[in-house]
Amino acid sequence: MATDTSKYSFNHTMLRVKDPQASVKFYTEILGMKYITKHDLPDAKATLYFLAFVDAVPESQKEKLKLAFSHSGVIELLHNWGTENQPDFSYNNGNKDDVGRGFGHTSVLVDDLKEACKRLETLGVKFHKKPTEGGIHTVAFIADPDDYWVEIIGNPLYTGENPL
Amino acid sequence: MATDTSKYSFNHTMLRVKDPQASVKFYTEILGMKYITKHDLPDAKATLYFLAFVDAVPESQKEKLKLAFSHSGVIELLHNWGTENQPDFSYNNGNKDDVGRGFGHTSVLVDDLKEACKRLETLGVKFHKKPTEGGIHTVAFIADPDDYWVEIIGNPLYTGENPL
């Protein structure tokens, strides 16, 4: 039995999304991730979308999937076909008491929190918490199109100080 | 206004956990992550635990937090003090219809899926899906102590083939 976990690595976080067009737009245009590829699951009537902070996306679908399943910190979005046309449909973002909390958020590191938040405000992004609000002023929380929380944090490698 | 997102990167996925001792044991001993550090939030009566696949953990708390807030693919566990002593307390793992689905899972890449699953079975880990079950035989789903799903996938860089 292999007991060696030294080649193990973190891959992705999967979130179900109502409208993949809106979500892909958010994670690429607002957060700056690259859209890697999608993969249809016809039996499940669903499609997976893969996004990540990568320098470049290869051309072939084989190389795209290889990247999606080897990179650390991929966002995998699962779209169950048709939900985007159901006005009352929404997913649980994990932060609502009345439907049970659990998952909290994903987080994105930026080089300059103040500048990043200024840009996000200009782009009309919804904030759950601005840096000036609450007890911890070194982070912000924004909402993705399904109201999943995304924490925005200054990367200490750029800011020179830890957020906590 | 800075519009440049080129220095942005993915940091962590936050999950609320009932019993941090059980969760830290799972993510380190079962999945092979390193425990980086914890950080108390006394005002919120909560503690954050940071884990990731890293080669080494630095000695000082300052360097540990710097690592936790610069690495890609960190797991941040939030423990609200006292939940571990409430027998009926549990979090929503995002995959239960009756409390609203949303978050799906995190995923860990392994060098050999079959060997990894053999090891996980020997360790008594709960499986939501073994590779031989369901339509896709290239992945498994296991449960962490809060029943959050963790997908286990063969890393194409080691296996030579994509899981999809």
Side-chain angles (χ1 to χ4, degrees):
Chain A
M1 184 188 75
T3 55
D4 182 10
T5 59
S6 65
K7 294 190 179 71
Y8 288 17
S9 59
F10 189 79
N11 181 214
H12 66 241
T13 300
M14 190 278 260
L15 300 173
R16 295 176 180 88
V17 299
K18 174 174 178 162
D19 178 352
Q21 278 197 303
S23 298
V24 167
K25 193 177 163 74
F26 175 85
Y27 285 96
T28 55
E29 294 180 18
I30 305 291
L31 289 183
M33 290 186 187
K34 293 270 199 322
Y35 169 68
I36 301 176
T37 192
K38 65 173 182 168
H39 180 85
D40 289 330
L41 301 167
D43 290 348
K45 294 183 181 169
T47 299
L48 296 170
Y49 295 79
F50 299 92
L51 303 108
F53 290 101
V54 290
D55 292 331
V57 175
E59 279 193 22
S60 74
Q61 178 66 355
K62 193 181 165 187
E63 289 300 316
K64 286 176 181 177
L65 284 173
K66 190 174 168 183
L67 176 64
F69 286 109
S70 59
H71 192 74
S72 275
V74 171
I75 292 284
E76 181 187 77
L77 304 176
L78 172 66
H79 173 229
N80 289 301
W81 301 345
T83 53
E84 70 278 21
N85 301 320
Q86 299 171 37
D88 295 335
F89 184 90
S90 69
Y91 282 115
N92 171 17
N93 72 1
N95 292 308
K96 289 170 185 160
D97 275 330
D98 57 341
V99 286
R101 294 188 304 164
F103 165 75
H105 56 262
T106 57
S107 83
V108 166
L109 300 168
V110 300
D111 50 339
D112 184 319
L113 181 66
K114 208 175 157 185
E115 286 299 315
C117 288
K118 214 188 289 177
R119 173 178 168 271
L120 293 167
E121 281 184 56
T122 306
L123 292 169
V125 171
K126 173 185 165 187
F127 279 75
H128 281 295
K129 175 192 131 35
K130 293 189 179 178
T132 47
E133 298 167 343
I136 298 171
H137 294 172
T138 48
V139 306
F141 284 98
I142 61 172
D144 94 342
D146 289 275
D147 208 31
Y148 291 116
W149 292 42
V150 181
E151 189 175 16
I152 309 294
I153 310 171
N155 184 336
L157 299 184
Y158 293 106
T159 65
E161 51 191 345
N162 288 328
L164 289 179
Chain B
M1 184 189 74
T3 55
D4 182 10
T5 60
S6 65
K7 294 190 179 72
Y8 289 17
S9 60
F10 189 79
N11 181 212
H12 66 241
T13 300
M14 190 278 259
L15 300 172
R16 295 176 181 88
V17 299
K18 175 175 178 162
D19 178 351
Q21 277 197 304
S23 299
V24 167
K25 193 177 162 73
F26 175 85
Y27 285 96
T28 55
E29 294 179 18
I30 305 289
L31 289 183
M33 289 185 188
K34 293 269 199 323
Y35 169 68
I36 301 176
T37 192
K38 66 172 180 169
H39 180 85
D40 289 330
L41 301 167
D43 289 349
K45 293 184 181 167
T47 299
L48 296 170
Y49 295 80
F50 299 92
L51 303 108
F53 290 102
V54 289
D55 291 332
V57 175
E59 280 193 22
S60 75
Q61 177 67 354
K62 193 182 165 185
E63 290 299 317
K64 285 176 181 178
L65 284 173
K66 191 174 169 184
L67 176 64
F69 285 109
S70 59
H71 193 74
S72 276
V74 170
I75 293 284
E76 181 187 77
L77 304 176
L78 172 67
H79 173 229
N80 288 302
W81 300 344
T83 53
E84 70 278 21
N85 300 319
Q86 300 171 36
D88 295 335
F89 183 90
S90 69
Y91 282 116
N92 171 18
N93 71 2
N95 292 307
K96 290 170 184 159
D97 275 328
D98 56 343
V99 286
R101 295 188 303 165
F103 165 75
H105 57 261
T106 56
S107 82
V108 167
L109 299 169
V110 300
D111 50 338
D112 184 319
L113 181 66
K114 207 175 159 186
E115 285 299 315
C117 288
K118 214 188 287 178
R119 174 178 168 272
L120 293 167
E121 281 184 55
T122 306
L123 291 169
V125 171
K126 173 184 165 188
F127 279 75
H128 282 294
K129 174 192 134 35
K130 293 188 180 179
T132 47
E133 299 167 342
I136 298 172
H137 294 172
T138 48
V139 306
F141 284 97
I142 62 172
D144 94 343
D146 289 276
D147 208 30
Y148 291 116
W149 291 43
V150 181
E151 189 175 16
I152 309 294
I153 310 172
N155 185 336
L157 299 184
Y158 293 106
T159 65
E161 51 190 346
N162 288 328
L164 289 179

